[in-house]
């Protein structure tokens, strides 16, 4: 049993049902936890003398739209500088049930949770100020969800006549082009082409 497997077993036995499972892949320990118990898990990882995960590196979201009803993963990356070790904690969430905020354990989680809310629409209960962070006021939708259109819904430009920023619906000014794949480079022999033929 590796040291990371040993740490995973230690955490799972200490937290019981809060840990669904753990895996060690590519030299990294990943804990799969219940969303309702995330504050308990993060607090344990910070306070346990064996783990000492005192630094929250990041919180991010991942969208799996085909995985209903819990389409999102909320991923927490933690670091123990004393033990020179990292741990990843994953919880599953939907777009209606809030995940408990960990700002009481790690105050730096404030903006990370706001970013996950802004980009994915993931809700965090108990957050002191859950509002958009990166998008503009009145922005519609969540840009990192898989169904969000690549062009967005509105475009922003400065209008010199009105002397202000103007929001307009997105217009694709160029019609769809049908590429015939003809290239001015065809017929040329480039170094390395002989390898492709053999």
């Amino acid at each position: 049993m590796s040291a990371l497997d040993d740490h995973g077993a230690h955490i799972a036995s200490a937290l019981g049902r809060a840990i669904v499972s753990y895996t060690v892949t590519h030299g990294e320990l990943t804990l799969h936890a219940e969303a309702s118990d995330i504050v308990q898990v993060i607090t344990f990882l910070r306070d346990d003398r064996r783990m000492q995960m005192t630094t929250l590196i990041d919180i991010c979201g991942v969208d799996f739209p085909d995985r209903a009803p819990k389409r999102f993963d909320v991923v927490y990356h933690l670091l123990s500088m004393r033990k020179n070790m990292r741990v990843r904690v994953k919880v599953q969430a939907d777009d209606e049930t809030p995940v408990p905020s960990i700002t009481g354990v790690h105050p730096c989680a404030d903006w990370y949770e706001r970013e996950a809310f802004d980009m994915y629409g993931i809700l965090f209960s108990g957050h002191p100020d859950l509002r958009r962070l990166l998008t503009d006021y009145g922005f519609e939708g969540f840009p990192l969800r898989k169904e969000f259109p690549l062009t967005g819904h509105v475009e922003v430009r400065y209008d010199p006549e009105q002397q202000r920023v103007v929001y307009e619906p997105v217009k694709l000014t160029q019609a769809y082009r049908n590429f015939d794949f003809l290239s001015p480079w065809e017929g040329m022999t480039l170094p390395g082409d002989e390898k492709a033929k053999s």
Side-chain angles (χ1 to χ4, degrees):
M1 178 182 269
S2 72
L4 291 176
D5 282 312
D6 191 35
H7 288 310
H10 165 69
I11 296 164
S13 66
L15 292 174
R17 290 185 168 184
I19 301 297
V20 177
S21 65
Y22 69 90
T23 57
V24 176
T25 309
H26 303 294
E28 297 179 351
L29 174 61
T30 302
L31 305 170
H32 302 272
E34 292 289 345
S36 57
D37 297 320
I38 190 62
V39 175
Q40 176 191 359
V41 172
I42 298 295
T43 304
F44 173 82
L45 291 172
R46 181 194 66 186
D47 297 342
D48 183 56
R49 293 185 57 81
R50 188 168 165 184
M51 300 307 296
Q52 298 183 25
M53 296 287 161
T54 56
T55 305
L56 175 68
I57 298 173
D58 185 24
I59 300 173
C60 59
V62 184
D63 186 13
F64 299 100
D66 297 334
R67 190 181 71 192
K70 295 187 176 184
R71 68 182 284 180
F72 301 112
D73 275 355
V74 183
V75 185
Y76 302 81
H77 295 102
L78 300 159
L79 169 69
S80 172
M81 289 200 270
R82 287 184 180 236
K83 303 290 183 175
N84 190 23
M85 181 174 53
R86 296 172 188 262
V87 169
R88 178 184 301 115
V89 182
K90 290 183 179 183
V91 300
Q92 293 185 359
D94 57 34
D95 52 1
E96 295 176 3
T97 310
V99 176
S101 173
I102 64 162
T103 53
V105 183
H106 291 286
C108 66
D110 183 355
W111 280 21
Y112 294 137
E113 291 177 353
R114 283 180 61 187
E115 181 182 5
F117 165 70
D118 193 5
M119 296 289 106
Y120 293 96
I122 299 169
L123 300 171
F124 293 90
S125 62
H127 191 281
D129 186 21
L130 192 61
R131 59 190 164 100
R132 289 192 180 267
L133 178 68
L134 300 173
T135 56
D136 203 356
Y137 301 110
F139 187 89
E140 293 181 16
F142 303 100
L144 291 183
R145 285 190 181 185
K146 301 288 189 199
E147 76 270 3
F148 192 80
L150 293 176
T151 58
H153 298 290
V154 295
E155 59 186 2
V156 181
R157 67 174 179 83
Y158 180 77
D159 189 341
E161 292 176 7
Q162 299 180 32
Q163 295 185 347
R164 68 181 184 91
V165 173
V166 177
Y167 297 87
E168 298 173 333
V170 171
K171 293 178 282 204
L172 298 176
T173 56
Q174 183 178 9
Y176 176 75
R177 291 172 50 188
N178 187 9
F179 293 98
D180 58 5
F181 300 105
L182 294 178
S183 167
W185 300 105
E186 284 183 4
M188 292 184 64
T189 303
L190 300 174
D193 283 352
E194 65 279 357
K195 295 178 187 173
K197 293 177 184 175
S198 58

